[in-house]
Amino acid sequence: MASRRLLSYAADTYRLSSLLIQHVLLTRPANLQAYRDKSRQLLLDQSRPSTASDAPNLMAIKVLEWDRELNMIQYHGAQEYLRRWWVSKSWSPSSLFAGSSSTSAASSTNTTATSSQSSVGDNDDDNNQATNKTNVARVAFMITSEQRQKLSIELGYTPQDIRSFKPIEALLLLEHGIQRVSDGVTSEVR
């Protein structure tokens, strides 16, 4: 099972690297931004194949996920990113030492966590399909009216603030529920 998955990653990596060489490097884009744009478009195309018979390129999906994480590090800063990552893992001291817990509440929590982890790892093919459906790479091209409304009503941003946001900034603010901070006379986004 693991060797088939490894073989799939190797084949996808080879296919992706060949396409990057053919469609990006050999075309000699004018500047670095053009290289980045062409590479991103190729990754998006490979992660979402045009026909139902084609499988998505797993390596393209992983590279897009890594790019998203690097952008999150740039946006939040390394310390805040690591803090959010640690909180999102929701590790507790009792879950780290599953074998040594003495209370029944802690052991039932550990059992639940362990059983959910083991059931997740049982069927790799089903997991890949489910993960691919939920971890679709997203790129924000514009701020929608629904996003503008949520930014304004739920998070307290002014129309002037919203107009100044880049689409990716608005998306990140909404995903993480970052509310507008006002300090005295002037208000600013932190």
Side-chain angles (χ1 to χ4, degrees):
M1 189 75 70
S3 62
R4 184 171 50 167
R5 189 172 186 189
L6 182 62
L7 187 60
S8 174
Y9 270 108
D12 284 351
T13 302
Y14 177 77
R15 188 172 352 124
L16 186 62
S17 62
S18 297
L19 289 170
L20 282 168
I21 290 170
Q22 291 172 359
H23 297 287
V24 178
L25 294 177
L26 294 180
T27 60
R28 294 189 178 155
N31 56 30
L32 188 59
Q33 185 62 37
Y35 272 108
R36 185 166 194 238
D37 293 342
K38 283 187 145 200
S39 299
R40 179 177 291 276
Q41 187 58 48
L42 181 68
L43 290 169
L44 289 169
D45 292 343
Q46 291 300 305
S47 67
R48 296 181 298 218
S50 58
T51 62
S53 63
D54 290 343
N57 188 310
L58 299 176
M59 200 62 206
I61 292 169
K62 287 295 178 194
V63 170
L64 287 168
E65 288 173 357
W66 295 337
D67 184 55
R68 180 188 65 209
E69 294 304 313
L70 287 173
N71 287 332
M72 294 295 287
I73 291 170
Q74 285 180 329
Y75 183 77
H76 291 292
Q79 185 176 8
E80 178 65 13
Y81 173 82
L82 288 173
R83 187 193 68 76
R84 288 172 181 254
W85 177 81
W86 186 263
V87 169
S88 73
K89 296 301 178 192
S90 65
W91 291 333
S92 66
S94 62
S95 68
L96 293 175
F97 306 106
S100 65
S101 64
S102 58
T103 63
S104 61
S107 64
S108 67
T109 303
N110 290 337
T111 306
T112 306
T114 308
S115 65
S116 66
Q117 289 172 353
S118 65
S119 65
V120 167
D122 288 343
N123 192 347
D124 283 341
D125 292 335
D126 290 340
N127 278 341
N128 287 342
Q129 291 172 357
T131 303
N132 289 340
K133 290 178 185 173
T134 59
N135 289 336
V136 174
R138 296 182 306 158
V139 178
F141 294 106
M142 61 181 274
I143 301 174
T144 65
S145 58
E146 180 183 348
Q147 289 173 325
R148 288 179 191 277
Q149 184 179 16
K150 286 181 181 178
L151 283 166
S152 176
I153 295 171
E154 295 175 13
L155 300 177
Y157 292 101
T158 65
Q160 183 180 4
D161 291 334
I162 297 169
R163 278 193 299 273
S164 70
F165 293 150
K166 294 178 183 175
I168 190 68
E169 292 171 335
L171 180 68
L172 291 171
L173 289 170
L174 287 167
E175 277 186 0
H176 299 287
I178 301 172
Q179 294 197 349
R180 185 170 191 261
V181 177
S182 61
D183 54 358
V185 179
T186 61
S187 298
E188 60 185 60
V189 178
R190 292 186 183 195

